Amino acid sequence: MTRVLVVEDDPQLVRALVINLQARHYGVDAVPDGATALRLAAARRPDVVLLDLGLPDMDGVDVIMGLRGWTRVPVLVLSARRASDEKVAALDAGADDYITKPFSMDELMARLRAAVRRTEDVPLAPETTLVETDDFTIDLLAKKASRAGHDIRLTPTEWHLLEILVTNPGRLVTQKQLLHEVWGVTQGNKTNYLRVYMAQLRRKLEADPSHPRHLITEPGMGYRFEG
């Protein structure tokens, strides 16, 4: 059974989340503050974390950073904060998705399913396990990226996006395909997710992020990986 840790201090929302998750056969733990969340995450090892940013004892971004110190568990932020800098701060801290309140329960469940899929290991053919460029190396089997011999830390969402691109070298992967594969959604208005995450990947992997050689944008269409 997939276990979900809900970190939220609004009792009504917690009740709605627990009912909907349990109806879909997820195991659920719910806590109202960040300190308890960090303790319970270490003890129970959830498969996914649903996290509110506005907690009574600490900012949700600090919870994300605490989790990222030892685990790559998918973290889906649920927040009323809509400012782009708030979203970027959460994503930079290691969140995998950002869902603004109020939200559709069906969309949340689709995002959650996509997050779970991203963590499942998919067997790869031997010839596709190592991708090398002049700037970085991707070991698909070990799920590691490195530059100049140093490991690069990627979030699960960054990794999944990169994995799709590098296993389709030279091919245009459309925005719709990426949104569906990585986030479980196909709405065109979610393309800002792709822009944010591609910018993060370029910053971590490209020698000159403003003039990428490997992670190429095809304006209005999608993205392409060039080795």
Side-chain angles (χ1 to χ4, degrees), residues 14 44 76 79 84 99 125 136 145 167 189 193 201 210 219:
V14 169
R44 299 295 293 270
L76 281 65
S79 180
S84 60
I99 303 154
F136 55 86
T167 53
N189 63 354
Y193 286 14
L201 282 172
S210 59

mmCIF file of all heavy atoms in Angstrom, residues 14 44 76 79 84 99 125 136 145 167 189 193 201 210 219:
data_model
loop_
_atom_site.group_PDB
_atom_site.id
_atom_site.type_symbol
_atom_site.label_atom_id
_atom_site.label_comp_id
_atom_site.label_asym_id
_atom_site.label_seq_id
_atom_site.Cartn_x
_atom_site.Cartn_y
_atom_site.Cartn_z
ATOM 1 N N VAL A 14 -7.799 18.549 5.940
ATOM 2 C CA VAL A 14 -7.221 17.253 6.319
ATOM 3 C C VAL A 14 -8.275 16.157 6.209
ATOM 4 O O VAL A 14 -8.020 15.081 5.643
ATOM 5 C CB VAL A 14 -6.656 17.305 7.764
ATOM 6 C CG1 VAL A 14 -6.307 15.893 8.242
ATOM 7 C CG2 VAL A 14 -5.421 18.195 7.812
ATOM 8 N N ARG A 44 8.126 6.577 9.657
ATOM 9 C CA ARG A 44 7.191 5.799 8.833
ATOM 10 C C ARG A 44 7.619 5.659 7.379
ATOM 11 O O ARG A 44 7.062 4.840 6.647
ATOM 12 C CB ARG A 44 5.796 6.433 8.891
ATOM 13 C CG ARG A 44 5.177 6.481 10.281
ATOM 14 C CD ARG A 44 4.905 5.091 10.837
ATOM 15 N NE ARG A 44 3.863 4.411 10.060
ATOM 16 C CZ ARG A 44 2.567 4.479 10.315
ATOM 17 N NH1 ARG A 44 2.139 5.217 11.336
ATOM 18 N NH2 ARG A 44 1.693 3.828 9.581
ATOM 19 N N LEU A 76 4.695 17.069 -2.647
ATOM 20 C CA LEU A 76 3.733 17.894 -3.375
ATOM 21 C C LEU A 76 3.263 19.004 -2.447
ATOM 22 O O LEU A 76 2.679 18.732 -1.397
ATOM 23 C CB LEU A 76 2.536 17.066 -3.843
ATOM 24 C CG LEU A 76 2.703 16.188 -5.087
ATOM 25 C CD1 LEU A 76 3.718 15.081 -4.840
ATOM 26 C CD2 LEU A 76 1.381 15.590 -5.516
ATOM 27 N N SER A 79 -0.651 24.882 -1.374
ATOM 28 C CA SER A 79 -0.498 26.193 -0.748
ATOM 29 C C SER A 79 -1.416 27.233 -1.352
ATOM 30 O O SER A 79 -1.745 27.182 -2.538
ATOM 31 C CB SER A 79 0.958 26.667 -0.884
ATOM 32 O OG SER A 79 1.120 27.942 -0.287
ATOM 33 N N SER A 84 4.983 33.847 -7.821
ATOM 34 C CA SER A 84 5.940 32.973 -8.504
ATOM 35 C C SER A 84 7.205 32.761 -7.682
ATOM 36 O O SER A 84 7.795 31.679 -7.703
ATOM 37 C CB SER A 84 6.309 33.537 -9.879
ATOM 38 O OG SER A 84 6.904 34.812 -9.754
ATOM 39 N N ILE A 99 0.816 22.915 -5.985
ATOM 40 C CA ILE A 99 -0.610 22.971 -6.296
ATOM 41 C C ILE A 99 -1.228 24.079 -5.460
ATOM 42 O O ILE A 99 -1.135 24.062 -4.232
ATOM 43 C CB ILE A 99 -1.272 21.617 -5.986
ATOM 44 C CG1 ILE A 99 -0.570 20.505 -6.781
ATOM 45 C CG2 ILE A 99 -2.759 21.657 -6.295
ATOM 46 C CD1 ILE A 99 -0.679 19.144 -6.156
ATOM 47 N N ALA A 125 17.406 -0.914 -20.991
ATOM 48 C CA ALA A 125 18.323 -1.718 -21.786
ATOM 49 C C ALA A 125 19.745 -1.270 -21.508
ATOM 50 O O ALA A 125 20.006 -0.078 -21.313
ATOM 51 C CB ALA A 125 17.990 -1.546 -23.269
ATOM 52 N N PHE A 136 28.375 16.938 -19.067
ATOM 53 C CA PHE A 136 27.869 16.152 -17.939
ATOM 54 C C PHE A 136 27.639 14.708 -18.363
ATOM 55 O O PHE A 136 27.608 14.390 -19.562
ATOM 56 C CB PHE A 136 26.573 16.756 -17.386
ATOM 57 C CG PHE A 136 25.475 16.936 -18.402
ATOM 58 C CD1 PHE A 136 24.595 15.894 -18.702
ATOM 59 C CD2 PHE A 136 25.306 18.141 -19.062
ATOM 60 C CE1 PHE A 136 23.589 16.050 -19.639
ATOM 61 C CE2 PHE A 136 24.295 18.318 -19.999
ATOM 62 C CZ PHE A 136 23.437 17.265 -20.290
ATOM 63 N N ALA A 145 23.531 11.984 -11.864
ATOM 64 C CA ALA A 145 24.069 12.926 -12.834
ATOM 65 C C ALA A 145 25.354 13.503 -12.252
ATOM 66 O O ALA A 145 25.460 13.701 -11.040
ATOM 67 C CB ALA A 145 23.072 14.044 -13.119
ATOM 68 N N THR A 167 16.583 9.851 -23.007
ATOM 69 C CA THR A 167 16.297 8.553 -23.621
ATOM 70 C C THR A 167 15.595 8.716 -24.973
ATOM 71 O O THR A 167 15.246 7.724 -25.617
ATOM 72 C CB THR A 167 15.436 7.661 -22.698
ATOM 73 O OG1 THR A 167 14.272 8.376 -22.286
ATOM 74 C CG2 THR A 167 16.230 7.235 -21.479
ATOM 75 N N ASN A 189 -1.932 25.199 -20.048
ATOM 76 C CA ASN A 189 -1.595 26.333 -19.180
ATOM 77 C C ASN A 189 -0.613 25.957 -18.080
ATOM 78 O O ASN A 189 -0.267 26.785 -17.242
ATOM 79 C CB ASN A 189 -2.854 26.956 -18.574
ATOM 80 C CG ASN A 189 -3.619 25.987 -17.669
ATOM 81 O OD1 ASN A 189 -3.275 24.810 -17.582
ATOM 82 N ND2 ASN A 189 -4.642 26.489 -17.009
ATOM 83 N N TYR A 193 5.434 25.113 -15.551
ATOM 84 C CA TYR A 193 6.165 24.075 -14.824
ATOM 85 C C TYR A 193 7.408 23.680 -15.609
ATOM 86 O O TYR A 193 8.497 23.551 -15.062
ATOM 87 C CB TYR A 193 5.300 22.811 -14.662
ATOM 88 C CG TYR A 193 4.188 22.885 -13.656
ATOM 89 C CD1 TYR A 193 3.772 24.094 -13.121
ATOM 90 C CD2 TYR A 193 3.548 21.730 -13.251
ATOM 91 C CE1 TYR A 193 2.744 24.144 -12.207
ATOM 92 C CE2 TYR A 193 2.514 21.772 -12.333
ATOM 93 C CZ TYR A 193 2.119 22.983 -11.815
ATOM 94 O OH TYR A 193 1.108 23.027 -10.909
ATOM 95 N N LEU A 201 17.333 22.545 -14.483
ATOM 96 C CA LEU A 201 18.229 21.528 -15.053
ATOM 97 C C LEU A 201 19.397 22.176 -15.779
ATOM 98 O O LEU A 201 20.540 21.732 -15.648
ATOM 99 C CB LEU A 201 17.450 20.620 -16.010
ATOM 100 C CG LEU A 201 16.573 19.546 -15.366
ATOM 101 C CD1 LEU A 201 15.725 18.851 -16.426
ATOM 102 C CD2 LEU A 201 17.434 18.521 -14.619
ATOM 103 N N SER A 210 22.414 29.990 -20.050
ATOM 104 C CA SER A 210 21.669 30.931 -20.887
ATOM 105 C C SER A 210 21.806 30.611 -22.377
ATOM 106 O O SER A 210 21.041 31.116 -23.197
ATOM 107 C CB SER A 210 22.126 32.369 -20.617
ATOM 108 O OG SER A 210 23.504 32.501 -20.876
ATOM 109 N N PRO A 219 10.593 26.452 -29.394
ATOM 110 C CA PRO A 219 9.563 27.401 -28.948
ATOM 111 C C PRO A 219 8.149 26.989 -29.362
ATOM 112 O O PRO A 219 7.892 26.678 -30.528
ATOM 113 C CB PRO A 219 9.980 28.713 -29.613
ATOM 114 C CG PRO A 219 11.468 28.578 -29.781
ATOM 115 C CD PRO A 219 11.690 27.132 -30.096
#
